Amino acid sequence: MSQTDIIEVRPTLSEFLQDIVDTRRVDAALDWLGNHPPHVIADQLARMDAVRAGMAFRLLDKDLALAVFEELEPVDQQQILQGLRDQSFRDLVEGMAPDDRARMLREAPAKVAKKALAGLSPRERRMTASLLGYPEGSAGQFMTPEVVALPRDLTVAEALGMVRAKGGNAETVYTLPVVDTGRRLTGIVELRELVLSKPETMVSELVVTEPAFARATDSAEKAARLMRETNDINLPVVDSEDRLVGLLTIDDAVEVIEAADSEDVALQAGSAPWEGHYMAAGVFQLARYRALWLLLLLFAATLTVSVTDFFEGTLQQAAHLALFIPLLIGAGGNAGAQAATACVRAVAVGEVKASDLLKVIWRECRVGLVLGSLLAAVGLAIGALFVGPRIALVVGITLVLICGWAATIGGTMPLLAKKLRIDPAVVSAPMVTTLVDATGLIIYFTTAKLVLGI
């Protein structure tokens, strides 16, 4: 056999790590873990089952273990914690940032959360308890309370001295909120400005007044998208009386947006969102998340069957009409799904509001009619070639009407959902497609009766 006939099959990272864990090759495992950054290790642990992940995690030294642990999703963190001994458990939870710890405990079983809180120092317990008290999905849940806040009446030299003294306990010092004597937010100053300014300069001369900020009870997704719009790496978070309570940092903002987008994608595809790594999810777990939506869509699809049954007489008089049913409902469903996806995305990023409903209807209706006209030109040519001009005319007219209708429905439903305070992503593409299938057939057969006189 020549060398060209030999194909080397190399295992993936996760397969290699699983293999050395399974065979108890501790030295090889330590070498692998020591030569990969925390985010890569975390990704591989999330792909493994609970036993293997726990075994690999125990081989990490204390500092690396904490860095890897904070990269994991809460569901994967719980899996690791349940396999640790008491002291290891306490050390790991104590070392986490308060906001990360609060998110993990919020989703953990009551027994795990109680055990974790009991093992914290009084200071860490107070911070964690305060974060747990904010509403689900709020900015207060994701912010860090460990902040260096500066009074306005300091010099640059004094401010830098305060940063050096207190910065070790803060999650970030790049953005420094400036507060008055009542701890009310009056502005921010960047660390860069302090470092580059003369020592005798007053902080008040460098402060950016009226900075972007979020309320602790605001949606975390709204606050994160505000950071994207303002290009801030940290966003001050205040309470109802404008008192500083924390900072939303860029790493947490990215996680919030990623989680929101993942949920939207799952809902738009007609599936329930799941937690944890896709590769670690079991077959029956994934099937369970998708089954409910498929059942709902199956019942909705009975509308199409009912419409076809109602117009059975029309089909018997012009059997050639049946040839174009898949083409028409496919074109209408696709047009509706495109409009729904575009509108959900526009709502999510703040480009469209519920008050724009009439503008969106008018806009999508015209877009649909233009697309339908383009498809109708093709449909007329195909129809005339195979079934004659009269059936072709029915197909052409229907394509124009069905695409205009589908685009209008697809663009309108997410905004109506928003008005009703329902997540627009729930208006999934499969749901719009199913609705357009049934109504599209009504348009088709009604057009045929009018044009053909049957």
Side-chain angles (χ1 to χ4, degrees):
M1 182 181 291
S2 65
Q3 285 186 328
T4 56
D5 295 326
I6 299 175
I7 300 176
E8 181 182 1
V9 180
R10 295 186 177 181
T12 63
L13 284 177
S14 57
E15 289 172 343
F16 179 72
L17 181 58
Q18 286 188 35
D19 179 60
I20 58 181
V21 169
D22 287 344
T23 54
R24 303 296 195 276
R25 287 184 283 159
V26 176
D27 290 341
L30 288 172
D31 182 63
W32 190 97
L33 295 168
N35 285 288
H36 288 84
H39 71 278
V40 173
I41 299 174
D43 180 67
Q44 301 312 311
L45 294 182
R47 293 167 177 263
M48 300 164 71
D49 59 52
V51 175
R52 290 190 179 98
M55 291 173 62
F57 188 82
R58 290 189 187 94
L59 297 175
L60 299 171
D61 63 59
K62 184 176 179 180
D63 292 337
L64 182 56
L66 180 58
V68 169
F69 192 76
E70 291 192 331
E71 293 286 345
L72 293 168
E73 293 294 322
V75 63
D76 299 316
Q77 290 175 337
Q78 295 166 33
Q79 177 176 282
I80 296 294
L81 285 178
Q82 289 173 350
L84 295 181
R85 295 181 179 178
D86 288 349
Q87 188 57 48
S88 299
F89 181 101
R90 287 194 293 270
D91 290 343
L92 195 58
V93 176
E94 177 78 21
M96 294 178 70
D99 52 331
D100 294 333
R101 184 193 303 127
R103 283 200 298 279
M104 185 268 293
L105 294 180
R106 189 174 297 109
E107 300 179 23
K111 183 178 180 181
V112 175
K114 183 178 180 180
K115 178 181 175 183
L117 285 173
L120 294 175
S121 64
R123 177 178 178 273
E124 296 293 334
R125 190 184 303 121
R126 284 195 300 272
M127 287 191 293
T128 304
S130 66
L131 293 175
L132 289 171
Y134 288 110
E136 181 71 25
S138 65
Q141 284 192 338
F142 289 85
M143 70 180 185
T144 173
E146 297 177 306
V147 181
V148 178
L150 302 176
R152 290 179 60 91
D153 56 355
L154 295 180
T155 64
V156 166
E158 291 171 333
L160 288 174
M162 181 178 289
V163 172
R164 294 189 190 98
K166 298 182 178 181
N169 294 324
E171 183 171 335
T172 178
V173 293
Y174 297 114
T175 300
L176 300 165
V178 180
V179 297
D180 62 16
T181 54
R183 202 174 170 77
R184 284 183 289 272
L185 181 70
T186 61
I188 60 170
V189 62
E190 300 294 335
L191 180 63
R192 180 178 184 274
E193 295 296 324
L194 295 180
V195 172
L196 297 178
S197 298
K198 295 180 179 179
E200 64 273 13
T201 303
M202 298 299 296
V203 169
S204 57
E205 298 176 28
L206 306 174
V207 172
V208 176
T209 56
E210 300 183 2
F213 66 90
R215 302 280 180 192
T217 53
D218 287 347
S219 162
E221 182 183 352
K222 177 182 176 182
R225 296 196 185 279
L226 174 62
M227 290 179 67
R228 189 182 65 178
E229 293 172 7
T230 58
N231 295 319
D232 291 328
I233 60 172
N234 297 294
L235 186 72
V237 180
V238 300
D239 62 14
S240 59
E241 298 179 2
D242 293 335
R243 290 176 301 202
L244 180 73
V245 291
L247 284 176
L248 181 63
T249 57
I250 186 64
D251 57 329
D252 290 326
V254 169
E255 288 185 8
V256 168
I257 292 177
E258 180 184 357
D261 289 347
S262 297
E263 180 181 0
D264 288 349
V265 168
L267 291 173
Q268 283 182 265
S271 174
W274 66 87
E275 295 179 339
H277 202 291
Y278 169 81
M279 295 303 295
V283 172
F284 289 103
Q285 180 184 2
L286 292 175
R288 186 177 74 251
Y289 284 121
R290 301 175 188 177
L292 177 60
W293 277 98
L294 288 177
L295 288 171
L296 291 174
L297 292 172
L298 180 64
F299 284 115
T302 57
L303 292 173
T304 303
V305 178
S306 300
V307 171
T308 305
D309 182 62
F310 183 80
F311 287 99
E312 183 180 4
T314 304
L315 279 174
Q316 289 176 346
Q317 296 181 58
H320 284 155
L321 290 174
L323 297 175
F324 295 93
I325 289 177
L327 182 150
L328 292 170
I329 64 176
N334 290 335
Q338 288 177 336
T341 301
C343 192
V344 167
R345 181 258 174 198
V347 170
V349 301
E351 294 177 354
V352 173
K353 297 179 174 58
S355 57
D356 296 320
L357 178 61
L358 294 179
K359 294 179 182 178
V360 171
I361 291 175
W362 174 233
R363 183 183 184 85
E364 287 295 340
C365 179
R366 288 181 294 161
V367 171
L369 291 175
V370 171
L371 293 173
S373 298
L374 292 174
L375 296 177
V378 178
L380 282 169
I382 295 175
L385 181 64
F386 288 99
V387 295
R390 296 185 70 198
I391 298 293
L393 180 61
V394 173
V395 173
I397 294 173
T398 302
L399 277 170
V400 175
L401 295 177
I402 200 172
C403 286
W405 166 247
T408 303
I409 289 296
T412 301
M413 288 181 67
L415 287 176
L416 290 176
K418 185 74 173 177
K419 277 184 173 291
L420 296 173
R421 297 185 178 181
I422 301 172
D423 188 346
V426 172
V427 185
S428 61
M431 181 176 290
V432 172
T433 300
T434 302
L435 176 61
V436 170
D437 286 351
T439 54
L441 286 179
I442 295 175
I443 294 173
Y444 181 37
F445 290 127
T446 302
T447 302
K449 291 172 72 71
L450 294 174
V451 173
L452 302 178
I454 54 179

